[in-house]
Amino acid sequence: MSRIKTLQDLFKRYRRPGDLVFAVFFMLFALFLLANLGTQTEWVKRTQLVAQPAFWPAVAVWGMAIFGALHLASSFISPRIPGRLAEVTFWLRSLEYVAWFLVYVLLVPQLGYLLSTVAFAVILTFRLGYRGGRMLGFAALTALAIVLLFKSFLQVKVPGGAIYEYLPGAMRSFMLTYF
């Protein structure tokens, strides 16, 4: 049985407590992109409209700004929902993983791609609450597979670790090339 009895029920949406905060930041970001659109794209003379380098980015950013403004307006006129601070705090908790990634990026040139990737996979697995040896081992094997895939098979250029300088000549060359 359907709970939808009227057209109003069909278009009713549940608003999260952080809806207004999201709408404000989304609108600010859209305005930032709109303000910088002219410096990031260009309109070329004697080119069809849809072939212009600036046409599709302009459509996307203008659409983002228009729909962002509509979202912001609807968030302002809707009733206030308690729990906004708790919702935004929940969002901000994800910034912890940005910090982990920045530390990882800083350590790769020091420890090398292999050691950094394995260490961070194991540390983050532990951080997420998987404390058993089986899961930590699986994280280490997954990290090793990632390193082999990107560095050895796809030959992605990742800076070698300063720690490799302490290895003997042939092993240092091998580690710099494949790990």
Side-chain angles (χ1 to χ4, degrees), residues 11 36 44 49-50 60 70 76 79 92 94 105 111-112 114 123 125 170:
F11 290 105
N36 288 295
V44 180
L49 180 65
V50 294
L70 292 172
F76 269 124
L92 293 175
S94 66
V105 167
L111 299 178
L114 175 65
I123 289 168
T125 301

Side-chain angles (χ1 to χ4, degrees), residues 44-141:
V44 180
K45 292 181 180 178
R46 293 186 290 278
T47 304
Q48 291 181 347
L49 180 65
V50 294
Q52 290 285 341
F55 178 71
W56 291 111
V59 168
V61 172
W62 274 103
M64 185 177 174
I66 291 167
F67 288 109
L70 292 172
H71 181 202
L72 183 61
S74 71
S75 294
F76 269 124
I77 62 174
S78 68
R80 186 179 178 328
I81 302 171
R84 184 178 295 153
L85 183 61
E87 180 80 11
V88 173
T89 303
F90 181 75
W91 296 346
L92 293 175
R93 286 177 31 200
S94 66
L95 293 178
E96 171 193 354
Y97 295 96
V98 173
W100 280 107
F101 181 72
L102 291 174
V103 170
Y104 171 75
V105 167
L106 291 172
L107 285 180
V108 167
Q110 304 304 315
L111 299 178
Y113 187 45
L114 175 65
L115 188 57
S116 298
T117 304
V118 170
F120 270 82
V122 170
I123 289 168
L124 286 176
T125 301
F126 188 83
R127 166 64 185 91
L128 289 171
Y130 299 100
R131 303 223 170 19
R134 185 173 176 209
M135 290 306 289
L136 296 175
F138 184 68
L141 286 175

